[in-house]
Amino acid sequence: MNQVTRTFVLVGLTVVILLAMHFLPTLYIKDVELRRVNVLSDILPEVYRERDAIDVIPSVPMPKMAVHSDTTANVWQVAAAADSVVAPDSVPSRFPVRTSSAILDFSEGAPGGMGHFYHALDNISSLGRPLRIAYYGDSFIEGDVMTCDLREMLQARYGGNGVGWVDCVDKLNGFRRTVKVKSHALSAHEVVEKPFLHSLEGISQRYFGVADGASLSVSSTAYKSHASSWQTATLYMRAQGGMSVVHNGDSVYVSPSQSVQTIVTPSRGKRSVDYRFSSVSGVNHLFGVAMESNGGVILDNFSMRGSAGFTLANIPDQTLADFARLRPYDLIIIHFGLNVASDKAHAANYKAYIRRMQQAIEHLRKAYPEASVLVVSIPDRDQRTDAGIMTMKGVESLVAYQQILAANCHVSFFNLFNAMGGRESMKVLVEKGWANKDYAHLSFRGGRYMAEIIFKALTDS
């Protein structure tokens, strides 16, 4: 066999082997899907290449004792229209029977459902502290988009002032309109960037290194009336080596500790709080500043661009326990999905994702066992196709899996995808100028619209 013939034979065998490998079942290494072999991928039409992409919506569980306003609706309409009702004899006596027509409660009256939040809301004047909401999300809420309006609506109805949690370094270059942050000699670290040490992270999945001579200034703005004033500012930190801190003129020495520590500064009529750090020795880190009233509602924005959410499981147990003691939450909202949805994902990808998210939710619930937990679905996300702007394949399936996640965790679920209008609803917002032309993120006007939807779901109004 000459050299030319040998070459043709080798090429032919390679093509045959690659074609045969295309028919192998999908392979995975742990939760990572291996790319399917397709030697003809560059010449076959796109529809063929994506035939295995996720487009089947799994059946979703419904809460026990659910009452449906439209029994003929499909599962998506039911998820939006169901009245989540808990049997009275299964509800702890400390919780009144109160429900929402938009939120599905899978707790059957046990802790983790909406009972604790509604009980706190009904008794807000006697709590002796603010009713606090932790709102975890990705870039959909970055810069306090949407959450600033949700906070304002809640504070307007139930009382309260202050913007809540503020990170110590402004990495958004002033994009957040509700607060201004200026810092010097603070190094920022967040979970989606390297290097990052999980052992040092705080409740916002960030930590900020402090150098001698560092400073921090946080001031409110007039963008939202209730967020423009506050009664106390609380700095959260861990001064393992000890340091001196001057805050609004008062000086204090923070002794070395392995626990989360705080410095509380009354506003005294000021709209800002300033910190200067000196005599810094050893390893010291800041976590954030919370500007809030002594009562009413406080909503903390914990956004993390690029996050899928499951890294919440890595916050150290002791750190979470310290925050639960120092900063109790009555409602924890889990709102992720933009970095998970894919038009090429398989069901196994989403199943693996909700397994990891279940670990994250259980981790938070361990520290906050009485708090209500609400999983908010991914909103509509659109993309350009040959047929025009359409909802990304995989979004509706992810919504279904997020509802399954809430059921598995025995917490509550809100179908934001349905509530905002379902398929191609983000396209409508873009056309109104309420969302960006990436068909995934909101403008501030769109944030107000979306906040109204969530506010009505939370308050059933």
Side-chain angles (χ1 to χ4, degrees), residues 354-396:
I354 67 169
R355 283 198 299 270
R356 299 185 72 178
M357 280 304 299
Q358 185 169 344
Q359 294 172 357
I361 291 175
E362 291 172 351
H363 185 57
L364 292 172
R365 290 192 63 193
K366 181 180 177 182
Y368 293 89
E370 295 295 322
S372 297
V373 177
L374 176 63
V375 176
V376 176
S377 81
I378 182 177
D380 181 43
R381 179 175 185 177
D382 299 343
Q383 64 180 8
R384 298 182 184 276
T385 69
D386 292 339
I389 303 298
M390 300 183 69
T391 293
M392 177 187 290
K393 186 193 297 183
V395 166
E396 290 171 283

Side-chain angles (χ1 to χ4, degrees), residues 328-345:
Y329 287 106
D330 300 288
L331 173 63
I332 300 174
I333 298 177
I334 308 294
H335 187 179
F336 294 91
L338 290 185
N339 302 292
V340 181
S342 170
D343 59 349
K344 296 180 175 63

Side-chain angles (χ1 to χ4, degrees), residues 401-440:
Y401 278 106
Q402 288 175 322
Q403 184 166 330
I404 293 170
L405 167 66
N408 290 346
C409 294
H410 304 290
V411 298
S412 298
F413 174 76
F414 177 58
N415 191 330
L416 182 61
F417 174 84
N418 256 4
M420 67 183 288
R423 294 187 63 84
E424 286 78 60
S425 53
M426 187 61 75
K427 173 185 174 182
V428 175
L429 296 186
V430 172
E431 291 170 348
K432 289 176 176 286
W434 294 0
N436 300 334
K437 291 186 177 180
D438 62 358
Y439 294 91

Side-chain angles (χ1 to χ4, degrees), residues 131 133 135 141 143-166 176-179 223-229 291-292 296-302 327 447 451-452 454-455 458:
L131 183 156
I133 300 172
Y135 203 122
I141 62 168
D144 221 4
V145 172
M146 189 189 77
T147 51
C148 67
D149 291 286
L150 180 58
R151 182 189 303 111
E152 185 76 7
M153 294 172 191
L154 289 167
Q155 291 178 337
R157 175 172 294 191
Y158 300 104
N161 295 90
V163 73
W165 187 271
V166 181
R176 183 173 183 176
R177 299 179 179 182
T178 47
V179 69
Y223 181 64
K224 297 295 179 184
S225 60
H226 286 84
S228 64
S229 62
M291 305 169 74
E292 58 190 4
V297 176
I298 298 298
L299 187 150
D300 291 344
N301 176 297
F302 292 136
R327 191 167 186 76
E452 290 171 354
I454 296 178
F455 175 77
L458 288 174

Side-chain angles (χ1 to χ4, degrees), residues 2 13 35 47 50 99 104 109 117 191 198 211 214 283 383 401 438:
N2 59 38
L13 287 173
R35 188 172 182 177
V47 173
E50 295 182 2
T99 63
L104 302 179
F117 171 69
V191 71
H198 286 291
V283 179
Q383 64 180 8
Y401 278 106
D438 62 358

Side-chain angles (χ1 to χ4, degrees), residues 1 29 43 58 77 93 98 119 179 203 219 225 250 260 274 277 287 299 322 332 339 352 371 380 385-386 431 433:
M1 185 182 295
I29 297 178
I43 60 175
Q77 292 169 329
S93 59
R98 179 176 173 184
H119 177 71
V179 69
I203 199 165
S219 57
S225 60
D250 296 330
V260 178
D274 302 286
F277 306 91
F287 297 122
L299 187 150
D322 288 347
I332 300 174
N339 302 292
D380 181 43
T385 69
D386 292 339
E431 291 170 348

Side-chain angles (χ1 to χ4, degrees), residues 138-362:
D138 48 33
S139 57
F140 192 74
I141 62 168
E142 188 174 54
D144 221 4
V145 172
M146 189 189 77
T147 51
C148 67
D149 291 286
L150 180 58
R151 182 189 303 111
E152 185 76 7
M153 294 172 191
L154 289 167
Q155 291 178 337
R157 175 172 294 191
Y158 300 104
N161 295 90
V163 73
W165 187 271
V166 181
D167 290 321
C168 297
V169 174
D170 179 13
K171 299 189 70 175
L172 301 177
N173 298 316
F175 177 71
R176 183 173 183 176
R177 299 179 179 182
T178 47
V179 69
K180 293 182 179 179
V181 179
K182 295 181 180 180
S183 60
H184 170 70
L186 296 180
S187 58
H189 305 270
E190 56 186 35
V191 71
V192 294
E193 296 180 353
K194 304 298 181 185
F196 186 82
L197 298 176
H198 286 291
S199 61
L200 300 180
E201 70 179 306
I203 199 165
S204 70
Q205 300 188 93
R206 295 178 172 89
Y207 59 91
F208 304 90
V210 187
D212 201 60
S215 63
L216 170 64
S217 174
V218 182
S219 57
S220 58
T221 72
Y223 181 64
K224 297 295 179 184
S225 60
H226 286 84
S228 64
S229 62
W230 44 276
Q231 278 73 60
T232 59
T234 304
L235 175 65
Y236 293 83
M237 73 198 117
R238 184 185 288 120
Q240 294 173 276
M243 60 183 173
S244 294
V245 182
V246 176
H247 56 114
N248 280 10
D250 296 330
S251 181
V252 61
Y253 177 73
V254 183
S255 301
S257 176
Q258 298 297 318
S259 301
V260 178
Q261 300 158 284
T262 61
I263 294 177
V264 179
T265 308
S267 67
R268 298 192 181 109
K270 295 186 64 175
R271 297 293 182 92
S272 64
V273 59
D274 302 286
Y275 303 94
R276 288 185 289 114
F277 306 91
S278 60
S279 302
V280 178
S281 59
V283 179
N284 300 286
H285 293 99
L286 308 181
F287 297 122
V289 179
M291 305 169 74
E292 58 190 4
S293 53
N294 297 323
V297 176
I298 298 298
L299 187 150
D300 291 344
N301 176 297
F302 292 136
S303 63
M304 183 62 66
R305 171 176 286 271
S307 175
F310 51 75
T311 53
L312 290 168
N314 296 325
I315 301 175
D317 289 339
Q318 188 56 52
T319 299
L320 270 183
D322 288 347
F323 271 101
R325 171 176 50 85
L326 297 169
R327 191 167 186 76
Y329 287 106
D330 300 288
L331 173 63
I332 300 174
I333 298 177
I334 308 294
H335 187 179
F336 294 91
L338 290 185
N339 302 292
V340 181
S342 170
D343 59 349
K344 296 180 175 63
H346 289 69
N349 298 105
Y350 286 166
K351 289 177 181 178
Y353 171 67
I354 67 169
R355 283 198 299 270
R356 299 185 72 178
M357 280 304 299
Q358 185 169 344
Q359 294 172 357
I361 291 175
E362 291 172 351

